[in-house]
Amino acid sequence: MFKFIENHLQGKKVFLWFVATQIIYFTMVFVNIPNSDFETYKIFDIRIFGYNYLEATTLLNHLGNEGRYVYLYQQIPLDLIFPFLFCISSILILGYFLKKINLYESKFRFLLFVPLLSNLFDYFENFSVIKMLTSFPEISEKLVVFASNCTIIKFLLTSIYLVVLIFVILKLGLKKFL
């Protein structure tokens, strides 16, 4: 993994991965969600504090057959691409800035695994949502709890990554000015 990262730490490559990630993200946020009924009831992926069984069944029921179809065949395919792109671009961005402040070869390099873990929980969440969408109305409470916990952990890890990235960028800024 570290060899791949080192081979892609040039500014242009990092930027291209970031742009690809943002294209998918903005498509989901500004095309899929507004063109569906997902704004009325927040879809699972954006409920940072999770959801319970009643909220999950209410959402799936409210979406109806058409909404569940849109979720499964329009939102989910993009949300299967996005975590991969987000993971790679996040690792490269953090690696790029760690290298700029001479911390890439240090113990701080382990922080590159945070987006990887976030990505893993995003996929667990997505596959759980697929199961809920395809088995509705027969969904188990255990599946909902698992999916909800994956959502919470995904957001927690993503938040940790963003805080780390902010600190690294601030350190780079201080290094430039001092």
Side-chain angles (χ1 to χ4, degrees):
M1 178 173 127
F2 291 118
K3 196 66 167 164
F4 172 84
I5 296 169
E6 290 167 24
N7 290 336
H8 290 85
L9 288 182
Q10 300 88 20
K12 287 181 183 178
K13 287 184 179 181
V14 173
F15 182 73
L16 288 174
W17 279 100
F18 175 77
V19 168
T21 303
Q22 296 312 306
I23 288 170
I24 297 296
Y25 177 76
F26 286 118
T27 301
M28 289 190 307
V29 171
F30 294 114
V31 177
N32 280 7
I33 293 174
N35 289 337
S36 64
D37 202 17
F38 297 160
E39 286 183 325
T40 305
Y41 286 90
K42 290 182 190 174
I43 59 175
F44 299 114
D45 311 66
I46 58 176
R47 294 176 180 233
I48 62 173
F49 299 111
Y51 39 89
N52 61 37
Y53 183 77
L54 179 60
E55 292 169 323
T57 55
T58 300
L59 168 63
L60 294 170
N61 190 47
H62 173 78
L63 291 175
N65 288 333
E66 185 178 330
R68 288 189 299 275
Y69 181 88
V70 169
Y71 199 160
L72 185 60
Y73 293 104
Q74 290 180 14
Q75 182 68 15
I76 291 290
L78 289 177
D79 205 12
L80 291 173
I81 297 167
F82 177 75
F84 171 76
L85 292 174
F86 179 78
C87 179
I88 299 297
S89 66
S90 297
I91 289 170
L92 292 176
I93 290 167
L94 183 56
Y96 179 81
F97 286 119
L98 284 173
K99 191 174 182 179
K100 289 282 185 192
I101 59 173
N102 299 317
L103 289 177
Y104 182 78
E105 296 294 334
S106 73
K107 63 184 176 186
F108 291 101
R109 189 157 88 169
F110 83 92
L111 293 169
L112 298 173
F113 287 104
V114 174
L116 191 63
L117 288 172
S118 174
N119 181 58
L120 181 66
F121 281 96
D122 200 350
Y123 278 116
F124 287 155
E125 170 198 56
N126 287 337
F127 291 125
S128 299
V129 169
I130 289 169
K131 179 68 175 163
M132 286 190 278
L133 289 166
T134 57
S135 63
F136 183 80
E138 303 297 322
I139 58 173
S140 76
E141 193 163 346
K142 287 181 182 180
L143 177 63
V144 172
V145 169
F146 178 76
S148 177
N149 286 335
C150 289
T151 301
I152 294 166
I153 293 168
K154 171 191 77 171
F155 275 108
L156 178 65
L157 290 168
T158 301
S159 298
I160 290 168
Y161 161 75
L162 292 173
V163 168
V164 166
L165 181 63
I166 289 168
F167 278 112
V168 169
I169 291 171
L170 287 174
K171 183 163 178 68
L172 176 65
L174 288 174
K175 182 180 172 184
K176 294 258 184 204
F177 290 111
L178 298 178

